[in-house]
């Protein structure tokens, strides 16, 4: 339908109130990256070309039906002019007034509200709310839009504005179909007349626009157009995947794994994700931050989107996500964007977890490489995300008493345990070597039971999230109530030593240590060490003590129980010393502090040194007397 020519008069037309407010914000606020205006104008041109393409499928009554669908960018540096021209669907005067003179009712309000938030980034918000055309006023003194509709009966029109309160619309002499946006650049925006600078921006933001973008007199497009992640996975070679990763990251290590997704429901989604071979970000790489590249219809919206994966996953996953369903039109409510983003996050997260589970099952050696490199991130995800804790449990791996060199899962542990074992035993410490010599393991070693070694600082936090696995309680091997499986008929339980010597050595330890321990008793379990410390049932467990310590929280550590090995030579020798002998007290003190040190519970290890020196001095004096 032709526009009423009476309305094409060149008189100033006021912007709507919300549009004036928006223009004021865009022109006078501070921006970290003004180049996004070009991304938005190219995106608008691409949309116009797409609309014409669909129109031409059913309608041949259009102007210039054989004209190439493309975008042309020209510059005139002397006049500081930048021109973006497309052969798209075009607009008549009424459409210019409607599309460039007003902003749809809900989008502008949502945009302005988003700007009030402290965490809002203008470069991201522009794309999310579809107000991109107005971003050109960040760099423009004046904008002139000449357009001719695809409809033969429509006449061309020109829209002109200085970014103030009004715009004008007047007849135009434009002959060819499409829209030409001419920007008269501000003096401090002359860089956008540099063709090299324009190529950089296209490479960063608009490389995968499906239509060719020609710059100046170039005959070859400046954009790639074909996006690898939108191709069917069976059509992409391993070499192409590797080349894309190198170009994308400048990381010349091969990634540990890749995930290529093409999904139509519940949202349309394309993704190409890589699991990095190193946990450390390459200081010379292209990816300077954590986050996925987020595209909407092949247009880059966010360089580092942190909303598409759990934070811990961003430590080891990088890549590209593209969706047709991200609402960029200002007529959409912002809550729709949140819903779609939440759906995409759920899909990507579940796919990564499923991929890692499959990798662990089918290629355990490759998964071991992943765990060595990125196991900390899995622990972090469990410790910080309630929703992920259960799903990620099968991915945990540990060394253990019976498998000190292998990585075993919780499922592996249970499969290799006795049928009557109801618990999963673990021991917490700073180093595996120290755990392997722990006196707590001797009862397990004597009965062939396994104990998981937990040496990562995040393991205590993980234990808080997963107290049970597949119905089996996780039990600390240093605890008082071990809940050991019943012994088979052929095994004889360890007898308890309760003779007079036992009562005497127990009393001597009580006299020296006093209130620092909750009890002293003879061990009923086999011990090679002189003694072991046991955490009383119901007291704060070692993992919680570590959590408090890591969080720099003050707490009152529980008083441990001391279990003595009456058969150990040191304990026997202590019985030979007089009650008042200085060597007795010093030895007991040193045994106690050494046990605290082995458990990682000593508040100040430097306090051991004076006792060692005293013990040496007493031994030397005794030797001299002899």
């Amino acid at each position: 339908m032709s526009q009423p020519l009476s309305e094409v008069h060149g008189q100033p037309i006021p912007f709507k109130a919300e549009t004036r407010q928006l223009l004021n914000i865009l022109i006078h606020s501070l921006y970290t990256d003004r180049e996004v205006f070009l991304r938005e104008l190219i995106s608008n041109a691409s949309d116009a070309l797409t609309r014409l393409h669909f129109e031409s499928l059913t309608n041949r009554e259009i102007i210039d039906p054989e004209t190439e669908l493309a975008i042309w960018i020209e510059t005139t540096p002397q006049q500081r002019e930048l021109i973006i021209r497309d052969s798209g669907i075009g607009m008549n005067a009424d459409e210019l007034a409607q599309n460039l003179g007003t902003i749809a009712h809900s989008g502008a309000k949502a945009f302005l509200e988003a700007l009030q938030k402290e965490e809002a980034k203008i470069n991201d918000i522009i794309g999310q709310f579809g107000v991109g055309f107005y971003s050109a006023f960040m760099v423009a003194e004046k904008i002139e839009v000449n357009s001719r509709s695809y409809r033969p009966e429509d006449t061309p029109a020109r829209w002109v504005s200085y970014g103030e309160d009004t715009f004008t619309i007047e007849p135009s002499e434009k002959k060819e179909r499409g829209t030409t946006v001419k920007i008269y650049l501000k003096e401090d925006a002359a860089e956008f007349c540099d063709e090299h600078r324009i190529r950089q921006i296209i490479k960063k933001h608009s490389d995968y626009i499906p239509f060719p973008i020609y710059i100046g007199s170039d005959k070859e497009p400046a954009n790639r157009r074909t996006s690898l992640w939108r191709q069917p996975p069976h059509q992409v070679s391993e070499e192409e995947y590797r080349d894309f990763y190198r170009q994308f990251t400048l990381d010349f290590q091969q990634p540990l794994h890749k995930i290529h997704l093409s999904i139509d429901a519940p949202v349309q989604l394309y993704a190409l994700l890589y699991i990095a071979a190193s946990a450390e970000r390459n200081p010379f790489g292209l990816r300077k931050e954590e986050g996925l590249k987020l595209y909407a219809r092949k247009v880059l919206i966010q360089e580092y989107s942190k909303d598409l994966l759990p934070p811990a996953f961003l430590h080891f996953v990088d890549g590209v996500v593209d969706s047709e369903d991200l609402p960029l039109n200002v007529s959409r409510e912002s809550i729709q964007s949140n819903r779609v983003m939440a759906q995409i996050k759920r899909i990507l997260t579940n796919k990564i977890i499923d991929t890692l589970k499959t990798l662990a099952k089918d290629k355990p050696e490759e998964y071991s490489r992943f765990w060595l490199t990125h196991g900390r991130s899995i622990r972090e995800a469990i410790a910080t995300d309630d929703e992920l804790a259960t799903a990620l449990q099968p991915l945990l791996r540990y060394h253990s008493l019976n498998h000190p060199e292998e990585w075993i899962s919780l499922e592996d542990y249970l499969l290799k345990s006795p049928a009557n074992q109801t618990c999963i035993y673990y021991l917490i410490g700073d180093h595996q070597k120290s755990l392997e010599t722990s006196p707590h393991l001797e009862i397990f070693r004597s009965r062939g039971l396994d104990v998981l070694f937990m040496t990562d600082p995040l393991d205590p936090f993980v234990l808080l999230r997963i107290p049970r696995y597949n119905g089996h309680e996780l039990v600390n091997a240093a605890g008082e109530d071990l809940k050991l499986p019943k012994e088979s008929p052929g095994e004889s339980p360890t007898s308890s030593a309760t003779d007079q010597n036992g009562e005497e050595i127990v009393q001597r330890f009580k006299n020296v240590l006093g209130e620092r321990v909750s009890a002293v008793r003879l061990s009923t379990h086999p011990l090679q060490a002189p003694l072991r410390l046991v955490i009383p049932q119901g007291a704060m467990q070692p993992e919680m003590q570590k959590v408090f310590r890591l969080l720099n929280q003050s707490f009152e550590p529980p008083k441990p129980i001391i279990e003595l090995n009456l058969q150990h030579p040191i304990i026997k020798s202590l019985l030979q010393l007089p009650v008042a002998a200085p060597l007795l007290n010093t030895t007991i003190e040193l045994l106690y502090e050494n046990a605290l040190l082995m458990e990682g519970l000593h508040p100040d290890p430097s306090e051991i040194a004076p006792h060692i020196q005293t013990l040496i001095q007493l031994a030397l004096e005794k030797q001299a007397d002899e």
Side-chain angles (χ1 to χ4, degrees):
M1 180 185 296
S2 178
Q3 78 280 21
L5 293 180
S6 59
E7 295 185 10
V8 185
H9 44 59
Q11 296 299 316
I13 303 171
F15 282 110
K16 294 292 180 68
E18 284 185 347
T19 309
R20 288 200 301 271
Q21 184 182 359
L22 175 63
L23 285 171
N24 182 65
I25 292 173
L26 288 172
I27 295 170
H28 300 294
S29 294
L30 297 176
Y31 300 91
T32 59
D33 195 356
R34 296 195 298 178
E35 68 186 30
V36 295
F37 85 91
L38 188 57
R39 174 194 77 180
E40 295 303 315
L41 294 182
I42 290 174
S43 297
N44 289 346
S46 177
D47 289 344
L49 291 164
T50 300
R51 290 178 60 194
L52 181 73
H53 171 70
F54 282 110
E55 182 67 31
S56 65
L57 295 178
T58 57
N59 179 12
R60 296 302 295 175
E61 297 298 320
I62 61 176
I63 294 177
D64 304 328
E66 304 303 323
T67 299
E68 180 186 12
L69 298 181
I71 300 168
W72 294 266
I73 299 178
E74 301 171 6
T75 63
T76 309
Q78 296 80 3
Q79 283 77 41
R80 297 201 307 274
E81 294 176 355
L82 173 65
I83 298 172
I84 298 97
R85 176 170 62 89
D86 68 69
S87 55
I89 200 160
M91 293 175 281
N92 60 29
D94 283 348
E95 289 166 336
L96 281 171
Q98 178 64 28
N99 294 335
L100 304 185
T102 62
I103 299 179
H105 59 283
S106 62
K109 183 178 180 181
F111 179 88
L112 296 171
E113 288 174 350
L115 283 177
Q116 306 304 316
K117 297 180 181 178
E118 293 183 6
E119 69 273 15
K121 293 183 179 179
I122 186 70
N123 300 325
D124 296 336
I125 290 175
I126 287 174
Q128 291 177 15
F129 289 90
V131 292
F133 172 79
Y134 302 96
S135 67
F137 283 107
M138 292 190 290
V139 299
E141 290 179 346
K142 172 186 173 183
I143 297 179
E144 180 181 303
V145 180
N146 275 283
S147 193
R148 181 166 189 177
S149 169
Y150 72 98
R151 293 178 289 261
E153 67 271 20
D154 282 358
T155 56
R158 177 186 293 109
W159 179 98
V160 181
S161 176
Y162 290 84
E164 296 173 348
D165 292 338
T166 62
F167 61 90
T168 60
I169 293 182
E170 57 192 20
S172 169
E173 301 300 321
K174 184 174 175 59
K175 300 252 189 290
E176 67 277 3
R177 181 198 70 230
T179 300
T180 300
V181 179
K182 187 173 185 179
I183 299 175
Y184 299 84
L185 294 166
K186 297 176 181 178
E187 188 173 348
D188 66 352
E191 63 178 290
F192 299 110
C193 273
D194 182 348
E195 290 189 359
H196 177 69
R197 179 78 171 99
I198 291 171
R199 284 189 179 87
Q200 285 182 324
I201 297 171
I202 291 173
K203 182 74 174 176
K204 178 179 178 181
H205 294 287
S206 307
D207 207 20
Y208 302 105
I209 289 289
F211 303 98
I213 303 173
Y214 300 102
I215 299 176
S217 59
D218 289 355
K219 301 301 181 183
E220 293 296 322
N223 58 321
R224 264 187 268 191
R225 290 183 286 170
T226 302
S227 50
L228 191 69
W229 59 86
R230 281 183 173 246
Q231 296 182 33
H234 67 273
Q235 295 181 7
V236 183
S237 69
E238 290 300 319
E239 184 178 358
E240 288 177 309
Y241 282 127
R242 288 194 296 269
D243 288 346
F244 179 82
Y245 180 73
R246 282 195 293 268
Q247 294 169 8
F248 181 68
T249 63
L250 278 187
D251 183 356
F252 286 89
Q253 291 189 80
Q254 287 192 29
L256 290 180
H257 207 67
K258 70 175 185 305
I259 301 171
H260 192 172
L261 296 179
S262 179
I263 297 172
D264 291 326
V267 293
Q268 191 170 43
L269 171 66
Y270 305 91
L272 182 53
L273 308 178
Y274 293 91
I275 297 176
S278 172
E280 301 297 327
R281 190 166 293 279
N282 181 3
F284 304 106
L286 292 177
R287 307 293 291 161
K288 302 301 183 184
E289 300 177 25
E290 293 177 347
L292 303 180
K293 269 195 172 187
L294 176 61
Y295 287 79
R297 306 180 188 97
K298 303 182 186 179
V299 178
L300 182 66
I301 301 302
Q302 288 180 315
E303 181 74 39
Y304 301 102
S305 176
K306 295 177 173 57
D307 299 324
L308 295 172
L309 286 176
F313 281 27
L314 294 173
H315 300 336
F316 63 88
V317 177
D318 211 341
V320 176
V321 176
D322 190 353
S323 176
E324 298 282 340
D325 294 331
L326 286 174
L328 304 182
N329 192 316
V330 295
S331 65
R332 307 279 189 94
E333 296 289 348
S334 60
I335 188 66
Q336 289 180 302
S337 178
N338 293 336
R339 179 180 57 82
V340 172
M341 292 285 280
Q343 285 181 310
I344 294 175
K345 179 178 180 179
R346 185 167 56 254
I347 292 169
L348 295 180
T349 301
N350 290 340
K351 184 60 180 178
I352 290 171
I353 293 173
D354 289 343
T355 298
L356 291 175
K357 287 179 179 178
T358 301
L359 186 67
K361 179 182 178 182
D362 297 342
K363 299 179 180 179
E365 290 186 3
E366 285 190 26
Y367 184 77
S368 293
R369 288 176 55 208
F370 167 81
W371 180 256
L372 278 169
T373 308
H374 302 298
R376 175 70 64 89
S377 296
I378 299 299
R379 293 184 183 97
E380 180 186 332
I382 292 175
T384 58
D385 195 324
D386 283 331
E387 294 182 3
L388 288 179
T390 300
L392 292 177
Q393 287 179 23
L395 297 179
L396 291 169
R397 294 294 184 273
Y398 297 100
H399 293 310
S400 72
L401 174 62
N402 295 344
H403 305 88
E405 303 298 330
E406 301 174 46
W407 289 111
I408 66 169
S409 66
L410 296 177
E411 192 63 34
D412 293 334
Y413 178 96
L414 291 176
L415 288 173
K416 297 173 182 178
S417 298
N420 63 342
Q421 181 176 328
T422 59
C423 301
I424 297 174
Y425 303 106
Y426 65 87
L427 196 60
I428 284 188
D430 295 327
H431 307 286
Q432 182 172 325
K433 289 298 181 184
S434 63
L435 289 181
E436 289 175 353
T437 59
S438 170
H440 298 297
L441 296 180
E442 291 170 17
I443 178 63
F444 297 93
R445 192 177 280 117
S446 68
R447 298 182 55 179
L449 301 176
D450 206 0
V451 178
L452 300 176
F453 294 147
M454 298 192 176
T455 57
D456 191 277
L458 287 176
D459 282 332
F461 296 91
V462 171
L463 287 167
L464 295 179
R465 296 287 190 185
I466 52 169
R468 305 180 70 84
Y469 176 76
N470 281 359
H472 292 74
E473 183 182 358
L474 274 72
V475 173
N476 196 319
E480 183 179 15
D481 182 16
L482 291 179
K483 300 179 181 177
L484 294 172
K486 292 182 180 180
E487 295 177 302
S488 60
E491 295 177 314
S492 57
T494 305
S495 60
S496 176
T498 58
D499 58 17
Q500 184 176 354
N501 286 342
E503 293 176 4
E504 183 176 347
I505 195 63
V506 165
Q507 191 57 49
R508 290 188 178 194
F509 269 79
K510 285 181 179 179
N511 292 340
V512 174
L513 300 177
E515 296 298 321
R516 285 177 285 174
V517 296
S518 61
V520 180
R521 65 194 183 197
L522 298 179
S523 177
T524 59
H525 299 311
L527 283 180
Q528 298 296 322
L531 56 83
R532 74 171 188 143
L533 299 185
V534 177
I535 303 301
Q537 191 173 359
M540 182 184 291
Q541 293 298 303
E543 58 266 27
M544 281 302 300
Q545 296 181 47
K546 280 187 173 289
V547 168
F548 274 79
R549 213 174 284 119
L550 289 167
L551 295 176
N552 293 319
Q553 298 290 319
S554 60
F555 67 97
E556 185 69 29
K559 297 175 181 179
I561 298 170
I562 289 187
E563 289 190 350
L564 299 174
N565 177 9
L566 189 59
Q567 306 305 316
H568 196 279
I570 292 178
I571 301 300
K572 288 181 177 180
S573 297
L574 289 178
L575 284 166
Q576 306 304 315
L577 294 175
V579 175
L583 187 57
L584 174 69
N585 291 359
T586 301
T587 303
I588 290 175
E589 289 281 1
L590 195 55
L591 287 171
Y592 173 65
E593 292 189 338
N594 185 58
L596 287 175
L597 188 65
M598 289 186 67
E599 298 290 338
L601 301 176
H602 202 300
D604 185 4
S606 64
E607 292 179 358
I608 298 178
H611 290 127
I612 294 175
Q613 294 168 5
T614 301
L615 188 65
I616 294 172
Q617 180 181 349
L618 291 170
L620 291 174
E621 289 175 354
K622 184 177 181 181
Q623 184 69 27
D625 291 342
E626 294 178 354

